[in-house]
Amino acid sequence: MPELSPIPFVKAYLAGDELAYVNQSFTSAAVTGDGPFTARATELITKLTGGIAALLTTSCTHALELTALLLDLGPGDEVIMPSFTFVSTANAYVLRGAVPVFVDIRPDTLNLDETQLEAAVTERTKAIVVVHYAGVAAAMNEVLAVAAQYGLAVIEDNAHGLGGTYKGRPLGSFGLMATQSFHGTKNVHCGEGGALVLNDADLVARAEVIREKGTNRSQFFRGQVDKYRWVDLGSSYLPADPLAAFLTAQLEQFDKIQTPRHAIWQRYDEELAVWAASRGVGVPTVPAECVHPAHLYYLLMPSPEDQQGLIAHLRELNITAPFHYVPLHSSPAGERYGRVAPGGCDITELVSGRLVRLPLFSQLTADEQSRVIDGVHSYDLVAA
């Protein structure tokens, strides 16, 4: 029997004009940051997120670092966040000397458990970071209410959520700031890239300065100052315009990219439902007030043994289906730099040891989808 062709977990997608735009950028005079394609991409991101303004960055990690600088965080300040997230969510604040306070997640959406927020607040708390896991919105009404009660900033880590909504509003429009990822694993990408979305007009000018190495260079090029100088803390967070050119082509075809992703997500959900329900396997929960962007489809297996068993079973079928985050609170750096909020992170530990992500990308063919679904169906649970 011939070996089955590999099905990767993710495959970068070309919408059509990416290489032409990149060539156009490289053959123009504007190949550094903040060129014409940066302006076009920024406009599209602002519309998709409903923000007041957006700034392209070299990564979502750098966008998160910008939020820490804009909040003037320092040693001993505390930032509440879920433990079930990528390390960048914590690193951005630890780099400023702040302490990440890890809160558990909900067992349904896998988002920060809003009912545990208030107990995590202390006199040193400055901000709450929510992560819209798999692009399904956190409970923003409740999060914003706690933040307003204690005078805290809310940051949306929206790396998964571009195109998602909560109660009809785009994800990225709720917090003081939001961050986006355009890493090659995301629905829309430029290989490596990100964006900071701003929802407070008073932050825009300073954000530009910090992003431009702490200088007022942007104001200089707009003719607002006669020279540009070092005026604040900052770093080099600007992507080159050819990267923005690639991203522009993707953003212009956002609906074209999203349509097959939603169809694949829906097929998984329909054809795995009976199998999952009969075996105690969890599938994604999408509350009625949320619209997700089909970023991830995952299964929550009954045990860690079944998590590893399904991953290995699909690997034998030449299908890559990985686990996801290792909890930050129990990681070596998390134990060193952060602390766990009252209530612990039991759900985070459970989910981390049971979650398996299925392949999901725009070019996944109907036959490949069938192979993934059949592969899951053919797995025998360890405890069965």
Side-chain angles (χ1 to χ4, degrees):
M1 180 177 176
E3 184 179 3
L4 294 168
S5 59
I7 300 177
F9 169 64
V10 67
K11 184 186 292 184
Y13 181 71
L14 289 178
D17 291 327
E18 288 89 346
L19 301 183
Y21 283 7
V22 169
N23 182 64
Q24 182 181 332
S25 180
F26 268 119
T27 54
S28 74
V31 295
T32 57
D34 269 343
F37 281 109
T38 300
R40 286 168 65 177
T42 298
E43 181 181 1
L44 291 164
I45 293 164
T46 303
K47 288 180 179 177
L48 278 169
T49 59
I52 290 173
L55 296 171
L56 280 193
T57 59
T58 41
S59 65
C60 188
T61 300
H62 279 165
L64 286 161
E65 289 179 18
L66 272 165
T67 70
L69 287 161
L70 285 163
L71 292 175
D72 291 315
L73 296 179
D77 290 338
E78 293 182 352
V79 180
I80 298 170
M81 65 185 66
S83 176
F84 194 63
T85 183
F86 191 55
V87 297
S88 295
T89 313
N91 263 334
Y93 306 103
V94 171
L95 283 168
R96 306 306 307 159
V99 177
V101 178
F102 299 116
V103 172
D104 209 356
I105 56 174
R106 292 168 46 149
D108 54 357
T109 62
L110 312 188
N111 285 321
L112 179 146
D113 187 344
E114 70 280 3
T115 66
Q116 298 192 28
L117 264 181
E118 193 166 2
V121 177
T122 73
E123 69 278 0
R124 303 194 69 96
T125 307
K126 303 297 182 184
I128 301 168
V129 181
V130 296
V131 177
H132 301 304
Y133 185 75
V136 175
M140 293 309 298
N141 281 2
E142 291 81 356
V143 171
L144 291 169
V146 172
Q149 181 179 351
Y150 292 96
L152 307 176
V154 173
I155 309 299
E156 294 175 77
D157 182 337
N158 198 35
H160 293 182
L162 187 66
T165 66
Y166 174 75
K167 295 184 181 292
R169 279 178 55 185
L171 301 187
S173 68
F174 291 90
L176 181 70
M177 294 174 272
T179 61
Q180 298 294 153
S181 174
F182 301 115
H183 185 269
T185 57
K186 300 302 185 289
N187 297 27
V188 170
H189 75 99
C190 59
E192 292 274 2
L196 174 68
V197 178
L198 299 156
N199 294 310
D200 184 336
D202 291 340
L203 293 174
V204 176
R206 187 169 181 231
E208 281 188 336
V209 166
I210 293 171
R211 175 173 166 265
E212 273 278 20
K213 310 168 190 69
T215 72
N216 55 357
R217 181 172 178 269
S218 295
Q219 295 175 34
F220 171 70
F221 281 110
R222 288 196 295 264
Q224 296 170 327
V225 294
D226 61 338
K227 298 177 183 178
Y228 73 87
R229 301 170 173 83
W230 182 25
V231 296
D232 202 346
L233 291 175
S235 191
S236 185
Y237 294 130
L238 224 65
D241 211 50
L243 280 176
F246 191 103
L247 180 61
T248 298
Q250 293 256 308
L251 290 166
E252 287 178 346
Q253 298 297 325
F254 185 73
D255 291 341
K256 176 183 175 182
I257 293 169
Q258 289 295 97
T259 297
R261 294 188 70 101
H262 279 285
I264 295 163
W265 193 102
Q266 192 64 34
R267 184 179 178 195
Y268 280 160
D269 205 49
E270 291 172 357
E271 297 193 26
L272 293 174
V274 173
W275 177 89
S278 66
R279 289 162 175 79
V281 174
V283 296
T285 296
V286 183
E289 66 268 22
C290 301
V291 173
H292 68 90
H295 178 58
L296 292 178
Y297 195 92
Y298 58 83
L299 300 172
L300 282 173
M301 304 304 290
S303 69
E305 293 77 17
D306 280 310
Q307 178 198 54
Q308 294 306 311
L310 179 60
I311 290 171
H313 174 72
L314 293 176
R315 187 187 304 122
E316 290 176 358
L317 300 174
N318 228 351
I319 299 167
T320 300
F323 58 87
H324 213 178
Y325 307 126
V326 175
L328 295 186
H329 73 276
S330 57
S331 299
E335 292 178 340
R336 186 180 316 133
Y337 297 116
R339 69 174 180 83
V340 178
C345 290
D346 293 345
I347 302 299
T348 300
E349 292 282 1
L350 183 148
V351 165
S352 176
R354 300 187 182 189
L355 189 143
V356 178
R357 294 177 290 163
L358 300 184
L360 179 53
F361 49 89
S362 297
Q363 316 94 301
L364 193 67
T365 67
D367 286 345
E368 289 171 330
Q369 295 165 41
S370 296
R371 277 181 55 196
V372 174
I373 292 165
D374 291 345
V376 172
H377 283 160
S378 66
Y379 173 69
D380 293 323
L381 296 183
V382 171

